[in-house]
Amino acid sequence: MILVTGGLGYIGSHCVKQLKKQGEEVIILDNLEFGHLGAGSGAKTYIGDIRDTDITRKIFKENDIEAVLHFAAYTSVGESVQNPQRYYKQNVAKTIALMEVMNEFDCKMMIFSSTAATFGEPKFVPIDESHPQNPKNPYGASKLMVERIMKDYESAYGLKSIALRYFNASGADPEGDIGEDHTPETHLIPIIIQQALGQRDKITVFGDDYDTPDGTCIRDYIHVNDLAKAHLLALKALRNGHATDFYNMGNQTGFSVLEIIKAVEEIAGVKINYEIGPRRAGDPAKLIATSDKIEKELGYKADFPKVTDTIATAWNWHKKHPHGYEDKY
Ligand code: UDP
């Protein structure tokens, strides 16, 4: 049995769907802060918080949990700068509470959602696993702290974890039944799509004075189903005795904010109304990853290497579900 924390959230739900497709038995723990009941692909679900050790102990007592896929976290760079306490509490303290119960029940495998933000301002691109980690914002710092905890817990308790460092998770399952639905939405692609659908008057580009060809920030967008695929490979690796490890997840191609706006315009067939605003605190100019390590070691290969295909799946989801899961109104 696999426990998926945050399994009703954006990336977690896509992972749950792929796990179930592979015939895995899945249990979800989600506090519904960002999750949606409609996103669980029919998996058995416990509603509660990872910090609540009464509920995590109950789950471990009632089910034979072999591994935990830990998605439940806060993920907004800008907010983490304004409210670091919220990020260290959610992403570090609550993860420690979860891992404490894993230790109690002798659960020895975890897959952890880490991030490009652990690297900070790149010294070189594409960023590989040898790149120094020097986070620029509390979000990245909170995830890096857990990476350190993973190493120490392996040495002391034999709990083996794999961290997948997502660059920019995006897109939606092509079948169109699950997708990205955050309230409030802070991520670029869904925000642009909301403008294309007339749900926003305009969007703001956060800064056009970066040291990049068009002055806007460059990011490496990776499809959420490719991330799910990487989780399945990481799970297989842990089952085969793989030690604690860290993998960068990107497509080795960067797109500026303006290029993403243009791509959405082409796919949606509408003009996007945008304005240039000030920089967002905590944003590095350029983040591009290489996934060579996971390709070589775990046999990963992206199904959605082209950003336009990824945006098309996001557009498909948002067009079909203009108000997301319609459970927050
Ligand atoms: N961005 C923007 N306007 C928005 C939202 C995001 O210009 O309304 C930019 C943001 O500054 C970053 C890029 O788009 O350079 C991707 O941001 P997102 O929040 O989607 O992901 P992050 O890079 O923070 O993980």
Side-chain angles (χ1 to χ4, degrees):
M1 200 82 89
I2 309 296
L3 175 62
V4 182
T5 73
L8 299 178
Y10 172 44
I11 306 172
S13 64
H14 284 76
C15 218
V16 166
K17 184 168 177 181
Q18 297 307 319
L19 283 164
K20 287 188 60 116
K21 273 195 172 170
Q22 296 251 322
E24 298 283 353
E25 287 186 286
V26 182
I27 286 185
I28 293 172
L29 171 61
D30 197 294
N31 69 1
L32 288 181
E33 186 176 349
F34 292 104
H36 304 276
L37 283 173
S41 299
K44 180 174 170 185
T45 300
Y46 291 79
I47 302 302
D49 198 283
I50 53 167
R51 183 180 115 249
D52 177 0
T53 49
D54 288 343
I55 190 158
T56 48
R57 285 199 180 97
K58 181 173 147 73
I59 292 172
F60 276 85
K61 262 190 211 129
E62 288 177 359
N63 307 279
D64 185 13
I65 306 291
E66 179 197 9
V68 177
L69 271 57
H70 177 32
F71 295 93
Y74 293 150
T75 62
S76 296
V77 166
E79 187 195 35
S80 80
V81 177
Q82 311 305 327
N83 194 352
Q85 175 173 280
R86 187 170 147 81
Y87 276 70
Y88 290 118
K89 200 165 149 193
Q90 171 69 29
N91 294 358
V92 185
K94 290 189 185 185
T95 297
I96 293 172
L98 171 71
M99 292 174 90
E100 186 178 330
V101 176
M102 289 177 67
N103 279 332
E104 266 173 49
F105 285 83
D106 221 24
C107 179
K108 298 289 190 200
M109 297 188 252
M110 181 174 89
I111 303 174
F112 176 64
S113 305
S114 191
T115 170
T118 59
F119 290 107
E121 204 61 66
K123 300 249 180 290
F124 55 85
V125 290
I127 297 171
D128 64 16
E129 289 76 3
S130 74
H131 190 287
Q133 288 175 291
N134 188 14
K136 238 188 130 169
N137 52 63
Y139 167 57
S142 71
K143 292 285 187 172
L144 185 58
M145 284 176 190
V146 176
E147 289 196 6
R148 173 61 201 253
I149 290 168
M150 286 167 49
K151 292 180 194 160
D152 293 340
Y153 279 31
E154 180 185 41
S155 306
Y157 312 125
L159 198 175
K160 294 189 163 106
S161 310
I162 290 182
L164 300 175
R165 298 184 187 127
Y166 316 152
F167 280 59
N168 286 63
S170 38
D173 187 67
E175 288 173 5
D177 57 341
I178 55 174
E180 189 165 11
D181 177 7
H182 294 114
T183 309
E185 189 52 77
T186 63
H187 294 110
L188 181 65
I189 293 174
I191 282 182
I192 301 172
I193 289 176
Q194 285 172 352
Q195 207 289 305
L197 290 170
Q199 295 170 0
R200 290 173 188 262
D201 292 344
K202 60 178 179 212
I203 73 152
T204 304
V205 174
F206 297 146
D208 69 347
D209 57 350
Y210 285 94
D211 184 17
T212 60
D214 67 19
T216 65
C217 285
I218 290 177
R219 294 289 180 271
D220 186 344
Y221 294 85
I222 178 163
H223 196 281
V224 65
N225 272 7
D226 281 336
L227 293 177
K229 191 176 178 183
H231 281 77
L232 296 183
L233 292 169
L235 178 63
K236 190 170 154 206
L238 287 173
R239 281 175 169 156
N240 290 333
H242 202 289
T244 290
D245 217 335
F246 305 87
Y247 294 101
N248 294 356
M249 300 299 316
N251 281 312
Q252 212 171 318
T253 338
F255 295 91
S256 73
V257 175
L258 293 179
E259 284 171 333
I260 295 292
I261 290 175
K262 199 152 175 284
V264 176
E265 284 180 338
E266 273 162 24
I267 287 160
V270 292
K271 205 93 200 97
I272 299 299
N273 184 23
Y274 68 86
E275 62 177 13
I276 306 294
R279 291 183 176 198
R280 185 175 70 176
D283 262 345
K286 185 174 184 179
L287 292 171
I288 299 173
T290 165
S291 292
D292 275 1
K293 185 179 170 196
I294 192 164
E295 284 175 20
K296 287 201 183 92
E297 293 186 6
L298 306 189
Y300 167 81
K301 192 172 178 302
D303 290 326
F304 297 89
K306 284 174 63 185
V307 80
T308 42
D309 292 344
T310 296
I311 293 172
T313 63
W315 174 242
N316 176 46
W317 152 258
H318 286 283
K319 223 171 36 168
K320 269 195 184 158
H321 306 271
H323 301 292
Y325 290 95
E326 310 226 25
D327 55 354
K328 301 246 156 135
Y329 295 90

